[in-house]
Structures are given as C-alpha cells and as structure tokens.
Amino acid sequence: MNALDTRIDGGSPTAPRAVAHAPHPTHTFKLLLKREFWEHKGGFLWAPLVAGGISLLLTLMAIVVGLIAARRAIADGDMEIDGVQVNGLDIGQLTSRMSAEDMAEMAQGLDLTLLLSSSWPFIVLGFVVFFYCLGALYDERKDRSVLFWKSLPISDTQTVLSKVASAALVAPIIAIGASILTMFVFMLMISTVVLMHGGNPVELLWGPANPLTLIGGHIAWIPVYALWALPTIGWLLLCSAWARSKPFLWAIMVPLFAGIFVSWFDLMELFNLDSSWFWANAVGRLLLGTFPAIDMAYRGGFDGANGQLDIAREMSAGNQLQTLAMPELWIGAIVGAAMIFGAIRLRRWRDEG
C-alpha cells in the first residue's frame, strides 16, 4: 500500500484531508447585509411600501371626491372655463382649449405632483434609518446577542460597516424602488380617469410629464444621500455603542444642549459666525441627515419666487450630483467616518458585564 492509502489496522489515516478555508470577506459582508435586512425587513421593505400604498389610497379618495364635486358643479351649472359654461365632464374637450403655455404649466404641475405623490417612502426612510442606527449596537448589547456574534469569526469592523451600508445604501435603494412603483401606479390611476372621460393619457399625461427624468434623479441621489447622511449615521451609531441606557435621549439632548450653550454665550462670534451656523452645520447635520431633501435646503433648492418649478428642476440627475461638489458634504462625511471608527472601537471594548 502506498502512503496515500487509508490504514485499516487501527492507525491514523494518511489520506490528505480537505483544508477548511475561512470564508472570503466579501461573502461574509454579504451575509451580514442579508442578516440586517431580514432582521429589519419591516422597516426596510414594508414601511416604504405601506407608505406608498397610503399615498395611493389618499390619491384615489381625492380623485373620487373631485369627480363627485365636478359632476355636481356641472349639474348645477356652476362650472365655467374662460366664461364658457361646461355641460359635461369631457377632459379631451376641456384640454383642447389650452394654449401651449397652459400645457407647459400643466407639465410642470404633473412633475411636481408625481414628485409629491412618490415622496411618502422617502419620508418614512428618514425615520426608519434614524431609529435603526440608534438601536443597531445598543439592542444587541441589551439582549446579549452581542456575545453570540462576537463568538463568530466576524470582526467588529465588518459588523459595524454592514450596519452603515444597510442604513446608507440598502434602505434608500429599497425606498427608491417603492417610490418609483408608487409613481407609476399613480400615473396609471390618473390615466384611467383621463381615459374614462374622453381624454388621451399619452397626449395629456405621459407626453408632458417627465417620470423618467424624476427616476434618473432618484437614482443619482443614492450616493448623495449616502454621503450626506454619514454624520448622522456615525453619530447615532456612536451613541448606540456608548450609551448604557436611553440612547435616544443621549443622541438628541447632547447636540441640542450644545447648540443652546453656544447660542447662550455667543461662542460662534469668536469665529465671526452667527449661532445659526452652528445649529445648521453641527446640530442639524448630526440629527437631520437621514431625512431626504435636507441637502436641497442647504444648497438653496427651495429658494426663489418660482418655488414649485425650482423643486421639480432640482430633482434632475444633474442637479442631484451637483451636491457632490459641496465642501460641507465631504467635511461632514469625514466627521461621520471618524464617529463610525469610534463606534467600531467602542463595540470592540464595551463591556456591559
């Protein structure tokens, strides 16, 4: 028998055994992301979908009420357009009298309506990410599950970064999917109403509106959100890793009391700045970064006399990516990364025993 044969006389086998290799870090990180998703599926997936569904339900109710009110007005002879009494609800006939300028205004109104109707998942996103980060490291210490996870060959860096990626990328990507779905269902609902009342949905809705432009803006917004929310994510994770109890109060009260202290003693005058600068760039960036559209307020997207048109134009992909040129975004991202590093160190050495 050669050396590779297995001995049968009670001796140890000499055949080569398969060597157990450690899983690749990329594979481990994917598993951690899946773990975060399944443990928080209600907030990450169902919350934005339900929010979009509520938006559509309210839209349907508004459509029904509007149609009933319009039919009553027509029956009473109270509906007039340009001095001409309307005898029937024929959308095609009504819109045929619109000028090119009126059609342009209608297109801008459609874009704004699409944006507002699909914004509900983003509103929910802000709260989901905020409270997810706040409990991400605290809850595992509270229920002692941290002992199980620390017993696995998973580093603290991988664990914390998987939570950062879930908050900064996974949650907003799912919210964008829910928003796009809400937008298209909204368009189908309005198209059905137009079609039932003598109008051409392609000519009156899908042609003038710019849903693809809005979708492109949503997709371009993903890296903007990830970087803009990083200070808030880092601060909440730091509080989650540090606080022995009531992390919500620590996360909220420390920045608020710091702002009150700075305002009370006018400390920002030492740097020739107003106290409002501290509230906007310190307190606001620590507490409000998870809520979408906050970056628009910082870069003046809501300014101007023609506010509605500015909002619709601000959502284009080009304007979204302009935020990446803001120094405030990158300074905040660096500060957020430093706080995330602090959360990793605290998780490594924190002892609740």
Side-chain angles (χ1 to χ4, degrees):
M1 298 177 64
N2 57 42
L4 294 179
D5 290 333
T6 302
R7 296 182 59 184
I8 60 174
D9 58 352
S12 60
T14 59
R17 296 179 179 180
V19 179
H21 295 284
H24 193 275
T26 303
H27 180 67
T28 302
F29 195 76
K30 288 180 180 179
L31 293 178
L32 288 173
L33 289 179
K34 289 181 179 180
R35 167 212 170 189
E36 296 299 325
F37 173 77
W38 287 110
E39 287 189 354
H40 302 87
K41 188 177 180 179
F44 285 170
L45 178 62
W46 296 117
L49 288 177
V50 170
I54 293 175
S55 173
L56 294 173
L57 179 60
L58 294 178
T59 299
L60 180 61
M61 294 171 59
I63 291 174
V64 173
V65 172
L67 290 176
I68 294 175
R71 292 184 183 281
R72 288 179 178 177
I74 292 173
D76 297 337
D78 296 332
M79 180 175 286
E80 295 183 357
I81 297 179
D82 295 333
V84 179
Q85 184 172 337
V86 178
N87 297 319
L89 191 56
D90 190 334
I91 295 179
Q93 181 181 2
L94 297 178
T95 55
S96 64
R97 301 179 181 180
M98 297 175 62
S99 63
E101 183 178 353
D102 293 334
M103 291 294 292
E105 292 180 358
M106 185 183 73
Q108 294 163 350
L110 283 172
D111 287 341
L112 180 60
T113 304
L114 283 175
L115 181 61
L116 294 178
S117 66
S118 61
S119 64
W120 286 53
F122 293 129
I123 297 174
V124 171
L125 171 69
F127 292 98
V128 168
V129 174
F130 186 94
F131 288 102
Y132 164 75
C133 293
L134 198 57
L137 301 177
Y138 173 77
D139 290 343
E140 67 178 14
R141 289 187 290 116
K142 183 178 179 181
D143 60 19
R144 311 299 291 174
S145 63
V146 65
L147 301 177
F148 168 75
W149 292 108
K150 281 182 174 291
S151 67
L152 300 178
I154 302 174
S155 67
D156 296 283
T157 300
Q158 289 175 314
T159 301
V160 175
L161 290 184
S162 69
K163 298 178 185 297
V164 173
S166 298
L169 294 174
V170 175
I173 288 174
I174 296 175
I176 287 174
S179 176
I180 293 173
L181 179 62
T182 303
M183 186 185 305
F184 273 104
V185 175
F186 175 84
M187 286 290 285
L188 290 176
M189 292 170 56
I190 302 298
S191 298
T192 302
V193 174
V194 171
L195 189 61
M196 292 174 59
H197 294 84
N200 186 344
V202 176
E203 180 182 351
L204 298 178
L205 297 176
W206 295 92
N210 298 287
L212 295 181
T213 301
L214 295 177
I215 292 173
H218 287 346
I219 296 174
W221 170 77
I222 294 174
V224 174
Y225 179 83
L227 292 170
W228 190 266
L230 212 55
T232 305
I233 292 174
W235 168 247
L236 296 177
L237 287 175
L238 187 64
C239 292
S240 184
W242 174 78
R244 292 184 179 273
S245 64
K246 301 177 178 63
F248 177 78
L249 291 180
W250 285 106
I252 297 296
M253 299 309 295
V254 169
L256 289 181
F257 277 118
I260 294 172
F261 182 82
V262 168
S263 300
W264 200 338
F265 294 99
D266 294 324
L267 297 182
M268 296 310 298
E269 291 185 357
L270 299 175
F271 307 96
N272 295 323
L273 294 172
D274 191 74
S275 297
S276 60
W277 183 94
F278 185 84
W279 282 97
N281 293 278
V283 180
R285 293 298 304 277
L286 289 181
L287 298 180
L288 302 177
T290 61
F291 293 90
I294 295 297
D295 59 298
M296 291 175 59
Y298 273 82
R299 68 173 185 261
F302 297 107
D303 295 340
N306 201 2
Q308 291 186 347
L309 300 185
D310 289 341
I311 292 176
R313 192 179 303 114
E314 195 74 18
M315 292 306 298
S316 65
N319 282 330
Q320 290 287 358
L321 294 176
Q322 285 182 2
T323 309
L324 298 178
M326 295 176 58
E328 297 91 335
L329 180 141
W330 295 103
I331 294 174
I334 294 173
V335 173
M339 289 188 288
I340 291 170
F341 176 78
I344 294 173
R345 301 296 295 182
L346 280 174
R347 186 183 188 272
R348 180 173 302 172
W349 302 113
R350 194 68 159 135
D351 182 8
E352 295 286 70

